[in-house]
Amino acid sequence: MKSIIRITLRALTLAVALTSAPVVLAEDITVSDDIAADTHWRNTNTYFLDGFVYVLSGATLHIEAGTVIKGLGAPTTGESAS
């Protein structure tokens, strides 16, 4: 009987741990300024480049695997890559 209670308690503890994980909401982020400081882009977000965006000397852009990066079809900066 004690072993059944232990197994049940372990299963209940695991269920609570799995359901109490933090929820990460995805964001759409528009980037139009150059990157001048170390920056981390997460794979939970979608990044939209508004015109040319440069990583300046001394800065590092970390991009997680699976991160979605898109260019705006009509940049508000007036720049065109075509």
Side-chain angles (χ1 to χ4, degrees):
M1 181 69 167
K2 286 184 180 181
S3 64
I4 293 174
I5 292 173
R6 279 191 208 127
I7 292 171
T8 304
L9 285 175
R10 286 183 186 158
L12 182 59
T13 302
L14 178 60
V16 168
L18 292 175
T19 58
S20 63
V23 175
V24 178
L25 301 176
E27 292 185 55
D28 289 344
I29 299 173
T30 301
V31 181
S32 58
D33 295 327
D34 291 339
I35 297 169
D38 291 350
T39 304
H40 194 115
W41 287 5
R42 304 198 181 286
N43 61 14
T44 54
N45 300 323
T46 299
Y47 296 87
F48 292 90
L49 302 180
D50 186 3
F52 294 111
V53 176
Y54 298 95
V55 179
L56 302 179
S57 179
T60 302
L61 174 59
H62 302 274
I63 304 172
E64 290 182 357
T67 301
V68 176
I69 303 168
K70 299 179 179 184
L72 292 180
T76 63
T77 61
E79 299 167 335
S80 176
S82 58

